C-alpha cells in the first residue's frame, strides 16, 4: 500500500510538470506577433497597463494561454499577474471545496433488492492546469462519475451491508473517485451516503419480521419469568410445610391486603375437616 501511494504521488507530480515543461514553441510567426503586441503595449502606455495587469483572488488560480498554448510556469496567482494584449488569454479556476448532491439512484443489490440511494460529494481542484487542459468540464464530469460509481459500488453489496456499512461504502467510493479524477486535477475529499429508501412492500415485510422477533423474545422472557416464579413457589411451599402456622399468617396478610382496597365481598376459606364434622351430625 505504501509503494502504491508513493507511485500515485510521483505520477501526480509528473503530470503537471509534463504540461508545464511541454514544447511551447510558437514559431517565428508567433514571436513576431508577440513582439508586435509588446510594441503596441509600449506605444499605448499608460492606458494599456490597465489591460495588461490582472488580479485573481486568494482562492483562485489563472491559467494563461499565449497564442493558444499553455504559458510556462503553470497557474498564476493569487494576486497580480501580467498578460499581453491580443495574444494572451486566461481562465480563472476556483480552488475552493465544492459540494454537490448525488441524485437518488435506483440500485439492484447483490441479493436482488431494488433500493434508492443518494449521497453527497466534497471535492476541490488540486491542480488548475490539469483541470483546464485535460477535460472540458471537470465539475460535470465529476458529478456523472459519482453517479456511476455509486451504482457500481452498491451493486456489489447486499441489503444488510448497505444498511449497516455506510462508512465502508463511502470510503470505497471516495477512493475510486479520487483515482478516477486524478488525471483531471481533482481531489475528492469526502463522500457520504445520505439516505437509503426501501420499497414499501419490503418495509412492511421488515416491520412484520421485527414485530415477530419482538413477540418471540417477549414470550421467552415471560416463560423464564414463569419458571422463576414456580421455583419460588416451590421453595415457599416447603417452608410452609415445615410450619403450619405460616399458612395462617399468610392468610391474614392476604385479608389485610384485600381490606385495604375497600372491597365489599371477602371470601373465607374453611378447612374440609371442619365441614366433615357438621356433615356427620
Amino acid at each position: 500500500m505504501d509503494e502504491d501511494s508513493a507511485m500515485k504521488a510521483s505520477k501526480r507530480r509528473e503530470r503537471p510538470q509534463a504540461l508545464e515543461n511541454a514544447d511551447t514553441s510558437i514559431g517565428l510567426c508567433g514571436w513576431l506577433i508577440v513582439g508586435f503586441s509588446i510594441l503596441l503595449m509600449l506605444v499605448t502606455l499608460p492606458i494599456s497597463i490597465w489591460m495588461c495587469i490582472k488580479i485573481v483572488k486568494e482562492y483562485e488560480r489563472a491559467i494563461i494561454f499565449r497564442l493558444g498554448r499553455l504559458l510556462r510556469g503553470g497557474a498564476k496567482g493569487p494576486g497580480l499577474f501580467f498578460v499581453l494584449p491580443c495574444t494572451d488569454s486566461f481562465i480563472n479556476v476556483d480552488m475552493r471545496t465544492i459540494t454537490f448532491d448525488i441524485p437518488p439512484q435506483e440500485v439492484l443489490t447483490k441479493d436482488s433488492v431494488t433500493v434508492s440511494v443518494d449521497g453527497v460529494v466534497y471535492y476541490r481542484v488540486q491542480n488548475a492546469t490539469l483541470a483546464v487542459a485535460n477535460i472540458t468540464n471537470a465539475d460535470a464530469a465529476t458529478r456523472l462519475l459519482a453517479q456511476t460509481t455509486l451504482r457500481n459500488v452498491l451493486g456489489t453489496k447486499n441489503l444488510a451491508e448497505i444498511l449497516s456499512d455506510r462508512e465502508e461504502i463511502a470510503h470505497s467510493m471516495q477512493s475510486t473517485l479520487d483515482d478516477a479524477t486524478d488525471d483531471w486535477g481533482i481531489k475528492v475529499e469526502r463522500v457520504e451516503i445520505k439516505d437509503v429508501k426501501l420499497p414499501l412492500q419490503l418495509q412492511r415485510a421488515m416491520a412484520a419480521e421485527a414485530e415477530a422477533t419482538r413477540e418471540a423474545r417477549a414470550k421467552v422472557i415471560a416463560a423464564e419469568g414463569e419458571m422463576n416464579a414456580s421455583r419460588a413457589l416451590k421453595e415457599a411451599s416447603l417452608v410452609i410445610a415445615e410450619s403450619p402456622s405460616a399458612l395462617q399468617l399468610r392468610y391474614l396478610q392476604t385479608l389485610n391486603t384485600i381490606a385495604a382496597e375497600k372491597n365489599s365481598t371477602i371470601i373465607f376459606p374453611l378447612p374440609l375437616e371442619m365441614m366433615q364434622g357438621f356433615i356427620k351430625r
Side-chain angles (χ1 to χ4, degrees):
M1 293 297 292
D2 295 338
E3 294 180 357
D4 294 341
S5 301
M7 291 179 62
K8 291 179 181 179
S10 63
K11 289 180 180 178
R12 288 175 179 175
R13 289 192 296 268
E14 290 172 359
R15 289 191 187 104
Q17 290 175 0
L19 281 175
E20 293 168 6
N21 298 327
D23 185 14
T24 57
S25 177
I26 56 178
L28 178 60
C29 182
W31 284 114
L32 289 176
I33 295 175
V34 171
F36 177 76
S37 179
I38 295 175
L39 180 61
L40 180 63
M41 179 194 66
L42 294 176
V43 171
T44 57
L45 282 176
I47 298 175
S48 60
I49 195 66
W50 302 109
M51 301 176 60
C52 297
I53 295 179
K54 304 295 180 182
I55 301 175
V56 290
K57 299 180 178 64
E58 180 68 29
Y59 54 84
E60 292 179 336
R61 298 295 182 272
I63 307 300
I64 302 176
F65 293 89
R66 177 162 294 170
L67 296 177
R69 293 178 177 270
L70 279 172
L71 192 64
R72 286 180 180 272
K76 306 297 182 181
L80 297 173
F81 65 95
F82 182 84
V83 295
L84 291 177
C86 304
T87 61
D88 290 357
S89 62
F90 65 95
I91 299 175
N92 285 340
V93 180
D94 196 330
M95 306 294 288
R96 292 177 293 183
T97 299
I98 301 173
T99 63
F100 65 87
D101 292 328
I102 302 176
Q105 303 294 311
E106 295 289 338
V107 181
L108 183 64
T109 63
K110 191 176 181 180
D111 50 354
S112 301
V113 178
T114 303
V115 295
S116 178
V117 184
D118 59 355
V120 60
V121 176
Y122 301 81
Y123 78 94
R124 61 181 174 85
V125 177
Q126 187 174 11
N127 188 284
T129 304
L130 295 178
V132 172
N134 283 4
I135 191 167
T136 304
N137 191 332
D139 180 72
T142 304
R143 292 172 185 269
L144 294 176
L145 184 61
Q147 297 178 25
T148 57
T149 303
L150 178 63
R151 288 195 294 266
N152 293 336
V153 171
L154 295 182
T156 61
K157 306 289 184 180
N158 55 42
L159 181 60
E161 291 174 345
I162 293 176
L163 295 176
S164 60
D165 299 336
R166 293 192 180 188
E167 293 184 0
E168 181 182 352
I169 294 173
H171 180 72
S172 177
M173 284 188 58
Q174 177 186 355
S175 177
T176 303
L177 283 173
D178 196 22
D179 293 339
T181 57
D182 190 23
D183 292 335
W184 305 340
I186 300 296
K187 172 64 178 176
V188 178
E189 297 180 337
R190 189 179 182 88
V191 177
E192 292 291 342
I193 303 298
K194 290 175 60 178
D195 191 17
V196 179
K197 297 181 180 179
L198 304 177
L200 184 59
Q201 295 180 351
L202 182 58
Q203 293 181 17
R204 292 175 179 174
M206 294 179 67
E209 181 182 1
E211 184 178 359
T213 302
R214 289 193 297 269
E215 290 179 355
R217 189 180 297 111
K219 290 180 180 179
V220 171
I221 294 173
E224 291 178 353
E226 292 291 340
M227 183 177 62
N228 295 333
S230 63
R231 289 177 180 175
L233 288 174
K234 179 182 177 182
E235 295 176 359
S237 64
L238 294 177
V239 173
I240 291 175
E242 294 176 359
S243 178
S245 60
L247 180 61
Q248 186 66 22
L249 291 175
R250 179 58 183 166
Y251 169 66
L252 294 175
Q253 185 179 3
T254 303
L255 289 179
N256 186 25
T257 303
I258 295 174
E261 296 178 359
K262 298 181 180 180
N263 292 325
S264 59
T265 303
I266 298 177
I267 300 175
F268 291 91
L270 296 175
L272 293 178
E273 292 80 1
M274 182 181 297
M275 300 300 297
Q276 289 177 357
F278 290 102
I279 292 174
K280 290 180 182 180
R281 296 180 181 178

